[in-house]
Amino acid sequence: MKTQPIDAFAEGMTAEMRAAVHEGSKIGHEKRTKLLFDHYANPNRLRQLAGEIKQHVVENLDTYLPALESRLVANGVRVHWASTAESACEAVHGILKARGARRLVKAKTMVSEEIELEKYLSDRGIESLETDLGEFIVQLDHDRPSHIIKPIMHKNRRQIADLFERHGLGPYDDEPAVITQRARQFLRHKYLEADACVTGANFMVAETGRMVIVTNEGNSRFCLAGTPCHIALVGIEKIVPADRDLGLFLNLLARSGTAQQLTVYNEFILGPRGAGQPDGPEEVHVVFVDNGRSDVLASECRDILRCIRCGACLNVCPVYRQASGHAYRGPYSGPVGAVLSPLMLGERFAEKADLPKASSLCGACNEVCPVDIPIPDLLLRLRDKAFALGIRSPGTPPMGAWAVLASHPVAWRAAMAGGAILNYLPTKLVPVRALRAWESSRDLPEWRGGAFRSWFKRHAKAPASGPNDHG
Amino acid sequence: MPDDRDQILSRVRGALSQLPKRAAMPDYDGAVELARSRARPIDPVAEFAERLKAVNGEFVAGPAELAASLRGHGWTTGYCEPEVWPSLAPHFDGSFAVSTEFRRERLDDYQFGITRAVGAIAETGTIILSDGASGRRLASLAPWAHVSVIPRARLYLDIPQAIAALGSDPNSIWVTGPSKTADVEGILIEGVHGPGAEIALLLG
């Protein structure tokens, strides 16, 4: 049996990286729990409500998308549509070319990772600079982000200090405050020199056309204060119905993502800068990106489109903690990535069909999800889908012998009775290393094979007498 | 790209047409659902000051205290929005160099920027800026310290009230404490791209 790709990746991680990811995700999760329960008697009610709202939006995208589009246009925003990653890159390039733009600043956008915008633009002579501290470090290091909202969770301060020294940002100093100050000094004039900015969007309000961008560092605000042209890359599922729903979502996003009651900057954008306002974009573009999302919508896993990208399911996931985000081979990692990434590939589903298997189905991801996505159910559906498509990825335990036993009553009864030999056999002698290791600190329970069958036979004969009757 | 638009919308319609029924929008009252458990009714000003402090912001009681605080930090060179300077100037002595004209190319020379805020949220310690009522965007963002002058009548109790007051300004932003990051080993650092100090003054 070959190892699953995700396990193979985890085995190859350095101890340093494993410690960074484990500690980072654990702290994130613990802080979140405390804050939510400090302020609300029943935070689950909020999660369920938010989940119902997003499910409603997802199942009515055919009316919400055109409604949002006409609000945006009425507000003076130019709307573009991109069905694939390539057409999204083309749309951005087209906007930049029309303005003669050469230099771009980017605030964190997962969609731009997804469509690999940086490479597309640099091949065409346009330089794009990441401004989120973590993304800036990832870009300098030619690395990839390993977490939806904490891109450098897999790095420690010594590696970053080395990197800054190599790139002439100052002599080695691994104090996080110094690292941050150096990035601040380097980046602040870049915003003013840039010809345009690219951001994502956290929420798009259908009722008003309001775009909401949420950051802690203030980099997206600097993009929107320093550059004359704003391009927002927006997944088609990012909609909420009305302004009033923002109260719920901004609250849950901050608490779930970074354990804050509110993220530092929540920016509400209706269109180009106001009359008399000297700073900020005179042009605002929204690019609606599909890139596989309509395939997800057509699947039995459309609930995953509720996701608001907070990262809480990554932090709590035992597999993510051991394997890190890079093991998921794409911009979306952890439980949400295990569902989203294979589906977004459409007909190339098989390439990532192994991801839904890398889960113990413990249910923690569903419990923390601010929009209550039943992730374990979705993982099971994807396992079924892979099986139905005949995809055999490595790491599937051989179940053939089990299948024979379970489908032949005679063989099953014999095995149940024969298993009793374990009660007399000194298991120390069984030549299976894993079993001996397990037994070194535990005792095997007594074999009681067949007990359930005889219990069931006794009870099957009597009429059912009530749910609490256990005999 | 009319083709991409049609293609996406027809795929979305196709995907949804298989659903026997669509999920309904839940009926809920945001103000009720988001009301926090509290032991006692709140005094909005005290709550705002306390919450602002909790996110490492600073609350000052009046213009004299503001001048003293800035001087205490050693921040004596800055910008002030012309609309509010007349009410503050009498409290700023000759040790300050305050300009009422903000110049982009002198971005690094301002230690502080004083602008108006359009309102504030008591429950979270948040200040609200807008294009129409808070001066230029760079002045409240680029200097190390940002001071917002908030009209007392626009102190909202909670997030749902502030959402209801968003209005039609092309750009509003809620700012809750100094700019921050925990990207490096989860350690909290303030003053990343925006201000490292957020100071609030209620007036009126």
Side-chain angles (χ1 to χ4, degrees):
Chain A
M1 180 171 76
K2 271 168 65 190
T3 321
Q4 287 196 33
I6 216 163
D7 291 334
F9 185 92
E11 279 162 19
M13 276 165 73
T14 62
E16 219 169 22
M17 193 198 271
R18 188 188 307 279
V21 171
H22 191 268
E23 197 51 26
S25 48
K26 189 160 161 278
I27 291 173
H29 173 64
E30 285 163 3
K31 283 190 185 155
R32 166 208 166 268
T33 309
K34 183 175 178 328
L35 190 76
L36 259 179
F37 285 85
D38 267 2
H39 284 152
Y40 297 109
N42 184 9
N44 276 334
R45 162 77 188 152
L46 298 180
R47 297 192 311 118
Q48 284 153 6
L49 197 50
E52 287 169 27
I53 295 171
K54 281 296 287 194
Q55 188 70 19
H56 161 75
V57 168
V58 166
E59 294 187 11
N60 291 277
L61 274 180
D62 50 350
T63 46
Y64 277 119
L65 274 169
L68 171 60
E69 178 190 34
S70 50
R71 285 308 315 176
L72 288 168
V73 171
N75 293 344
V77 173
R78 301 189 207 173
V79 178
H80 312 254
W81 299 77
S83 58
T84 62
E86 185 163 19
S87 61
C89 289
E90 274 167 23
V92 174
H93 184 232
I95 298 163
L96 296 174
K97 214 163 64 177
R99 293 183 60 91
R102 313 296 301 171
R103 278 169 304 187
L104 190 70
V105 278
K106 268 173 75 192
K108 198 163 167 3
T109 130
M110 293 307 294
V111 178
S112 80
E113 300 283 345
E114 186 187 309
I115 64 174
E116 301 190 339
L117 179 67
E118 186 193 339
K119 181 171 185 317
Y120 185 96
L121 293 179
S122 83
D123 289 349
R124 286 153 186 83
I126 295 171
E127 163 201 318
S128 48
L129 181 67
E130 296 285 353
T131 59
D132 173 272
L133 177 60
E135 294 282 345
F136 172 65
I137 290 166
V138 161
Q139 188 180 33
L140 275 186
D141 208 14
H142 305 291
D143 195 356
R144 285 181 177 268
S146 71
H147 190 288
I148 298 175
I149 61 161
K150 297 169 193 157
I152 51 166
M153 190 183 263
H154 61 292
K155 288 189 190 301
N156 64 35
R157 60 170 88 183
R158 294 178 298 283
Q159 297 164 320
I160 301 165
D162 275 339
L163 179 73
F164 273 30
E165 191 177 24
R166 283 204 305 280
H167 284 84
L169 291 169
Y172 182 96
D173 190 328
D174 62 13
E175 183 58 40
V178 174
I179 290 171
T180 307
Q181 277 308 307
R182 285 179 177 167
R184 175 185 173 97
Q185 286 311 322
F186 179 80
L187 287 168
R188 55 203 272 116
H189 292 280
K190 303 287 184 189
Y191 297 107
L192 303 186
E193 293 160 7
D195 305 309
C197 68
V198 170
T199 72
N202 294 85
F203 302 103
M204 301 291 294
V205 181
E207 176 196 40
T208 52
R210 223 181 276 280
M211 174 185 343
V212 188
I213 301 181
V214 177
T215 70
N216 269 312
E217 297 184 0
N219 53 320
S220 70
R221 175 63 167 179
F222 228 129
C223 288
L224 296 189
T227 67
C229 173
H230 175 203
I231 304 167
L233 292 169
V234 182
I236 55 171
E237 81 285 17
K238 286 279 156 194
I239 302 175
V240 297
D243 281 344
R244 68 182 203 111
D245 301 312
L246 291 173
L248 186 62
F249 285 100
L250 294 176
N251 209 312
L252 282 168
L253 176 60
R255 286 164 198 272
S256 307
T258 44
Q260 291 167 286
Q261 49 174 350
L262 208 52
T263 315
V264 176
Y265 296 98
N266 290 276
E267 189 157 8
F268 305 89
I269 300 144
L270 278 176
R273 69 180 183 227
Q277 172 60 249
D279 301 325
E282 61 205 13
E283 245 179 57
V284 179
H285 299 262
V286 164
V287 182
F288 284 119
V289 179
D290 181 340
N291 195 29
R293 286 166 175 78
S294 53
D295 286 325
V296 184
L297 189 66
S299 77
E300 287 301 306
C301 296
R302 67 182 66 81
D303 302 22
I304 202 70
L305 294 175
R306 293 182 206 170
C307 176
I308 59 171
R309 309 284 191 267
C310 71
C313 64
L314 280 62
N315 294 339
V316 79
C317 177
V319 178
Y320 178 89
R321 284 186 186 179
Q322 292 300 326
S324 96
H326 290 157
Y328 294 81
R329 316 195 298 278
Y332 306 110
S333 55
V336 61
V339 178
L340 205 50
S341 306
L343 283 171
M344 283 177 62
L345 289 176
E347 285 169 5
R348 288 160 47 220
F349 176 81
E351 289 171 26
K352 291 186 181 171
D354 61 298
L355 294 181
K357 294 199 319 185
S359 166
S360 63
L361 302 173
C362 72
C365 46
N366 172 233
E367 273 174 32
V368 299
C369 177
V371 283
D372 198 25
I373 302 173
I375 297 177
D377 292 351
L378 305 184
L379 291 170
L380 280 175
R381 281 175 211 173
L382 291 181
R383 290 182 189 184
D384 284 349
K385 181 182 160 100
F387 184 80
L389 292 172
I391 300 163
R392 301 283 180 272
S393 44
T396 308
M399 302 291 274
W402 168 261
V404 169
L405 279 181
S407 53
H408 294 86
V410 176
W412 180 263
R413 275 199 297 275
M416 285 299 116
I421 196 172
L422 284 172
N423 293 337
Y424 307 103
L425 193 74
T427 39
K428 302 259 179 309
L429 298 180
V430 177
V432 177
R433 194 150 38 115
L435 181 64
R436 283 216 301 271
W438 191 88
E439 267 236 318
S440 66
S441 59
R442 300 172 187 85
D443 288 320
L444 261 183
E446 190 194 343
W447 179 268
R448 296 175 58 207
F452 175 76
R453 288 173 62 89
S454 51
W455 176 91
F456 189 78
K457 269 187 193 147
R458 278 204 313 279
H459 285 72
K461 283 174 188 153
S465 53
N468 293 322
D469 176 32
H470 293 289
Chain B
M1 274 157 286
D3 291 349
D4 279 49
R5 181 185 188 278
D6 292 348
Q7 200 182 338
I8 293 172
L9 288 176
S10 85
R11 295 182 65 162
V12 165
R13 279 191 290 266
L16 293 171
S17 65
Q18 340 151 11
L19 292 179
K21 114 177 188 297
R22 316 271 186 107
M25 178 69 185
D27 185 24
Y28 77 105
D29 182 342
V32 173
E33 299 291 348
L34 290 170
R36 298 187 192 177
S37 348
R38 287 180 204 287
R40 56 194 156 80
I42 64 165
D43 163 12
V45 175
E47 172 94 353
F48 175 66
E50 190 189 311
R51 299 309 316 194
L52 182 62
K53 220 177 129 193
V55 291
N56 293 344
E58 187 181 338
F59 180 82
V60 290
E65 197 184 307
L66 170 64
S69 168
L70 291 174
R71 197 185 297 106
H73 288 292
W75 302 324
T76 52
T77 305
Y79 162 83
C80 182
E81 223 194 312
E83 286 79 357
V84 281
W85 184 234
S87 61
L88 301 179
H91 304 274
F92 284 66
D93 63 22
S95 63
F96 284 96
V98 180
S99 164
T100 53
E101 188 202 358
F102 189 93
R103 290 174 48 197
R104 224 172 126 104
E105 63 280 8
R106 289 191 49 211
L107 195 77
D108 290 331
D109 299 343
Y110 307 105
Q111 292 174 305
F112 61 84
I114 306 176
T115 71
R116 288 168 298 164
V118 67
I121 311 174
E123 182 180 74
T124 49
T126 302
I127 58 137
I128 307 171
L129 309 173
S130 75
D131 262 13
S134 307
R136 57 187 301 175
R137 297 184 192 178
L138 281 173
S140 53
L141 185 70
W144 179 259
H146 172 231
V147 179
S148 47
V149 179
I150 307 158
R152 191 178 292 268
R154 295 278 174 77
L155 180 57
Y156 307 108
L157 206 57
D158 53 25
I159 292 175
Q161 276 188 19
I163 297 248
L166 272 176
S168 58
D169 196 296
N171 185 297
S172 317
I173 186 164
W174 295 358
V175 181
T176 308
S179 145
K180 57 172 68 95
T181 185
D183 273 352
V184 181
E185 294 191 4
I187 296 161
L188 179 71
I189 303 294
E190 290 174 335
V192 193
H193 307 276
E198 274 292 340
I199 305 172
L201 167 67
L202 282 180
L203 275 190

